[in-house]
Amino acid sequence: MTAPGPVRVELGDRSYDVAIGPGAADAAVARAAELAARTVAVLADERVAALHAGGVIAGIRARGKADLLVALPAGEPAKTPAVVEDACRRLAAAGFERGDVVLGLGGGAATDVAGFTASIYHRGVPVVHLPTTLLAQVDASVGGKTGVDLPEGKNLVGTFHQPAHVGCDPGFLRTLPPRDFRAGLAEVVKAAWIADPDLLARLEREAPWDAAHPGLADVIRRAVEIKAAVVSADEEESGLRATLNFGHTLGHAIESTCDGRWQHGECVALGMVGAVHLSTRAGWCGADALDRMVAILERLELPVRDPGLDPVAVLERTRADKKRVGGRIRWQLTRGPGSVSFAADLPEGAPRAAVDYLRR
Amino acid sequence: MTAPGPVRVELGDRSYDVAIGPGAADAAVARAAELAARTVAVLADERVAALHAGGVIAGIRARGKADLLVALPAGEPAKTPAVVEDACRRLAAAGFERGDVVLGLGGGAATDVAGFTASIYHRGVPVVHLPTTLLAQVDASVGGKTGVDLPEGKNLVGTFHQPAHVGCDPGFLRTLPPRDFRAGLAEVVKAAWIADPDLLARLEREAPWDAAHPGLADVIRRAVEIKAAVVSADEEESGLRATLNFGHTLGHAIESTCDGRWQHGECVALGMVGAVHLSTRAGWCGADALDRMVAILERLELPVRDPGLDPVAVLERTRADKKRVGGRIRWQLTRGPGSVSFAADLPEGAPRAAVDYLRR
């Protein structure tokens, strides 16, 4: 049996492949080197760079191209305008040009910063992503969203900039802390809940999951396929793509107000519990859906409650969500696994009840 | 005789109109208010705001929309990443949303900053431009280029973000200092030299030009038409659009190294003289073309020489130009009025000779 080919993200003349499996890292380095006139600039989370930049840079040199390593602060602290400005200045100082290529190496924060930097440097240069966390492999590096945070909220500044290629190599996940691995599963649950009840059942049935699970590449592939299909149908999030924000309105608000207690994926887990609770209050689904969501997340050792949440701060933050239009929050509700869509109106007090449920 | 309609910039689903003439300002405000869900944020050069923001804001309110004034530093100092970050933070703090609209008011620096801010805030919101200088009316606000400077060079960071509408109201030009007005004529000369020898002859014949010249709206329109035609044919500057950089490789280098002695348009004038000199050295045209360029610019009271140029610094800067590909500078040379194109190779020493000619 041959390994399945890459997942194609269909976006007209900006279509690209997401290669998944052992060897995907080297193939992505090869693609970046092939695209670059002279130089591949590796924008890498400094912690990830210590583990993996050596191999990437060797791969660039082996293909006859120059390399430039720009280390980014580890993790979420990289997501600031100042880090992007500094990266642009370092590219400029090194003589990096429009015909050259940025390679993003690290988790979602690093690929967000690398993608944003590539989208604005010289008004846009190509970027190839090499995500090294499960979260980034299944979510952050597919779809072309880039962004950084402001003190006023997460991802308030960014662009849509489709990568030229993405390589999801499960080999990177072996160096990932177990908690980070589990946090990534939250986005797999989200993809499954939106679009694939069979995947949801498999996640539950074959738990626990870790980097050595033989089904892991399959599950990554399926999550990437789901996201790719949605993004292809709706690149700039006018409708269908908004379903990918399931759990994220509350999730982002929790992330902004929890003082770093939770990782992004963990906040999405809490946010999905909240979103299903809202859905029950809105009459979209019954208590069985809420029980199911909680049971799956618990099985994957993801958080389903946090008595420490500050309800006033969380609700205040949901009102700063950038998906608002005309002052209304664009909640994504569910009728159960396989069905998520936009709700224009919610019963009075439902968001507060959902946060109170999370604080149980 | 009815006034001619707007110039249409054809870019598929991002096509837009540039309205030119008396009344264009109010029409642009109306368009911004019509597009906005709730709020029009006016990003304005603070000096221009003191003169014209009152009328713009009254126009927004008269159409039932909320207004938000974000004052930008006057002139070129606005073009920094810090100013853009600050503008984004002010939009976020005011609850500005994805369905709202940015209106850029001021010269090319203000419309560049407003356009860049609009392109990255919430990953992109619409922008309407109301350029108040001749330079911005004929050049900066058509084509969708946005950008800010880095210490390493001008416009190194930015995006392509097409406006939803542009209003070029000659009324604004009456408050423009005469030197600024003349500097704007340099971009009109550039457009005419690239594509319209008749316009070139008219500029010469009907000089001097000022804000009261009865042919001014015509000339603005013709320059906008030329730029619109080029941009429609080549949005992202792969080939034809690069002709719009005629005079700009040296011009930008002069601008970066002249310690503020010259305005952008004046640097373009000097850069065009240098580009024609280069063209003679490359055998593309004769001394008559150089004489013609110098004569026209002198007639329009634009600079054609600067003994104070630092040749080493200027040439060093041309090598940092972002139009380089594969380490080569993409010089735009001319065979005479109506003919500008890319030159792959130049005779050894030709750039230095051109700068020395400017220092005569």
Side-chain angles (χ1 to χ4, degrees):
Chain A
M1 203 181 100
T2 54
V7 177
R8 183 77 174 164
V9 184
E10 293 290 351
L11 291 164
D13 60 2
R14 283 162 300 118
S15 298
Y16 63 94
D17 285 338
V18 182
I20 300 158
D26 195 57
V29 171
R31 183 80 182 111
E34 175 190 38
L35 286 170
R38 302 199 308 184
T39 304
V40 177
V42 181
L43 270 58
D45 177 306
E46 64 186 359
R47 212 160 40 194
V48 175
L51 294 168
H52 302 299
V56 169
I57 285 170
I60 295 166
R61 292 183 185 169
R63 289 165 177 97
K65 295 295 162 71
D67 60 277
L68 171 67
L69 178 63
V70 177
L72 308 173
E76 290 295 305
K79 292 192 55 162
T80 70
V83 168
V84 171
E85 181 182 352
D86 182 61
C88 288
R89 292 193 58 183
R90 291 177 64 181
L91 294 176
F96 190 81
E97 297 173 10
R98 199 174 271 181
D100 294 329
V101 173
V102 168
L103 190 148
L105 177 69
T111 56
D112 271 7
V113 168
F116 187 36
T117 300
S119 73
I120 63 173
Y121 185 76
H122 287 199
R123 298 199 185 95
V125 298
V127 65
V128 169
H129 288 309
L130 209 41
T132 61
T133 66
L134 180 57
L135 184 72
Q137 291 190 355
V138 299
D139 189 62
S141 59
V142 180
K145 280 190 182 182
T146 80
V148 296
D149 304 331
L150 294 179
E152 289 75 15
K154 285 187 61 67
N155 292 315
L156 287 184
V157 167
T159 51
F160 287 96
H161 187 62
Q162 300 301 335
H165 182 90
V166 178
C168 296
D169 198 320
F172 287 127
L173 307 182
R174 281 184 222 118
T175 53
L176 200 60
R179 181 180 168 187
D180 296 26
F181 184 89
R182 291 194 302 268
L185 290 173
E187 291 282 2
V188 182
V189 170
K190 183 199 74 176
W193 190 281
I194 292 171
D196 189 347
D198 289 346
L199 177 60
L200 203 61
R202 180 179 184 178
L203 288 170
E204 218 171 354
R205 190 174 63 238
E206 297 185 14
W209 292 83
D210 63 22
H213 194 298
L216 183 60
D218 269 7
V219 162
I220 293 172
R221 170 177 306 275
R222 188 64 198 117
V224 168
E225 283 171 352
I226 291 167
K227 182 155 189 189
V230 171
V231 168
S232 295
D234 177 21
E235 186 179 356
E236 295 201 356
E237 199 168 273
S238 44
L240 180 61
R241 182 159 174 174
T243 61
L244 296 172
N245 292 313
F246 180 58
H248 280 60
T249 297
L250 273 175
H252 280 148
I254 292 167
E255 195 170 355
S256 301
T257 58
C258 74
D259 290 322
R261 281 199 312 284
W262 300 117
Q263 295 191 10
H264 175 72
E266 294 166 337
C267 294
V268 169
L270 291 165
M272 288 191 292
V273 172
V276 182
H277 191 276
L278 277 170
S279 304
T280 62
R281 283 297 175 105
W284 282 42
C285 62
D288 55 323
L290 184 58
D291 292 345
R292 179 90 195 278
M293 178 63 87
V294 168
I296 292 166
L297 295 174
E298 284 186 327
R299 189 110 171 79
L300 300 175
E301 298 174 64
L302 283 160
V304 295
R305 66 180 63 80
D306 176 8
L309 292 182
D310 175 343
V312 174
V314 169
L315 293 171
E316 177 60 34
R317 277 290 173 169
T318 62
R319 286 188 283 271
D321 191 272
K322 70 179 172 308
K323 274 94 195 175
R324 280 192 321 178
V325 174
R328 310 195 96 138
I329 302 168
R330 294 181 59 81
W331 297 101
Q332 295 294 328
L333 300 192
T334 180
R335 299 191 186 279
S339 173
V340 167
S341 56
F342 164 64
D345 284 299
L346 286 184
E348 186 74 21
R352 173 64 198 236
V355 177
D356 285 341
Y357 178 75
L358 290 172
R359 297 172 72 233
R360 73 195 180 278
Chain B
M1 203 181 101
T2 55
V7 177
R8 182 76 175 166
V9 184
E10 293 290 351
L11 291 164
D13 58 3
R14 284 163 300 116
S15 298
Y16 62 94
D17 285 338
V18 182
I20 299 157
D26 195 56
V29 171
R31 183 81 183 111
E34 175 190 39
L35 286 169
R38 301 200 306 183
T39 303
V40 177
V42 181
L43 270 59
D45 178 306
E46 62 186 0
R47 214 160 39 195
V48 175
L51 295 168
H52 302 299
V56 169
I57 285 170
I60 295 166
R61 291 184 185 169
R63 289 166 177 96
K65 295 296 163 70
D67 60 277
L68 172 67
L69 177 63
V70 178
L72 308 173
E76 290 295 306
K79 291 192 54 161
T80 71
V83 168
V84 171
E85 180 182 353
D86 182 61
C88 288
R89 292 193 59 184
R90 291 176 64 183
L91 294 177
F96 190 82
E97 296 173 8
R98 197 174 271 181
D100 294 328
V101 173
V102 168
L103 190 149
L105 177 69
T111 57
D112 272 6
V113 167
F116 187 36
T117 301
S119 74
I120 63 173
Y121 184 76
H122 286 200
R123 298 199 185 94
V125 298
V127 65
V128 168
H129 287 309
L130 210 40
T132 60
T133 66
L134 180 57
L135 183 72
Q137 290 189 357
V138 299
D139 190 62
S141 59
V142 179
K145 280 190 180 182
T146 80
V148 296
D149 304 332
L150 295 179
E152 289 76 14
K154 287 186 60 66
N155 292 315
L156 287 184
V157 167
T159 52
F160 287 96
H161 187 61
Q162 301 301 335
H165 182 89
V166 178
C168 296
D169 198 320
F172 287 127
L173 307 182
R174 283 186 220 118
T175 54
L176 201 61
R179 179 179 169 187
D180 297 24
F181 184 88
R182 291 194 301 269
L185 290 172
E187 291 283 0
V188 182
V189 171
K190 184 199 73 178
W193 190 282
I194 292 171
D196 189 346
D198 290 344
L199 177 61
L200 204 61
R202 180 179 184 177
L203 287 170
E204 219 171 354
R205 190 173 62 238
E206 297 185 15
W209 292 82
D210 63 20
H213 194 298
L216 183 60
D218 269 8
V219 162
I220 294 172
R221 172 177 305 273
R222 188 65 198 117
V224 167
E225 282 171 353
I226 291 167
K227 183 155 189 190
V230 171
V231 167
S232 294
D234 178 20
E235 186 179 356
E236 294 200 357
E237 199 167 273
S238 44
L240 180 61
R241 182 160 176 170
T243 62
L244 296 172
N245 293 314
F246 180 59
H248 281 60
T249 298
L250 273 176
H252 280 149
I254 292 167
E255 195 170 355
S256 301
T257 58
C258 73
D259 289 323
R261 282 199 312 284
W262 300 117
Q263 296 191 10
H264 174 72
E266 293 166 338
C267 294
V268 170
L270 291 165
M272 288 191 293
V273 172
V276 183
H277 191 276
L278 276 170
S279 304
T280 63
R281 284 296 177 106
W284 282 42
C285 61
D288 54 325
L290 184 57
D291 292 344
R292 179 88 197 278
M293 177 64 88
V294 168
I296 293 166
L297 295 173
E298 285 186 327
R299 189 110 170 78
L300 300 176
E301 298 175 63
L302 283 160
V304 296
R305 65 181 64 80
D306 176 7
L309 291 181
D310 175 344
V312 174
V314 169
L315 293 171
E316 177 61 33
R317 277 289 174 171
T318 63
R319 286 189 282 272
D321 191 272
K322 70 181 172 308
K323 274 95 196 176
R324 281 193 320 178
V325 173
R328 311 196 95 140
I329 302 168
R330 294 179 60 79
W331 296 101
Q332 295 294 327
L333 300 192
T334 180
R335 299 191 186 280
S339 173
V340 168
S341 55
F342 164 65
D345 282 300
L346 285 183
E348 185 76 20
R352 175 64 199 238
V355 177
D356 285 340
Y357 178 75
L358 290 172
R359 297 172 72 235
R360 72 194 181 279

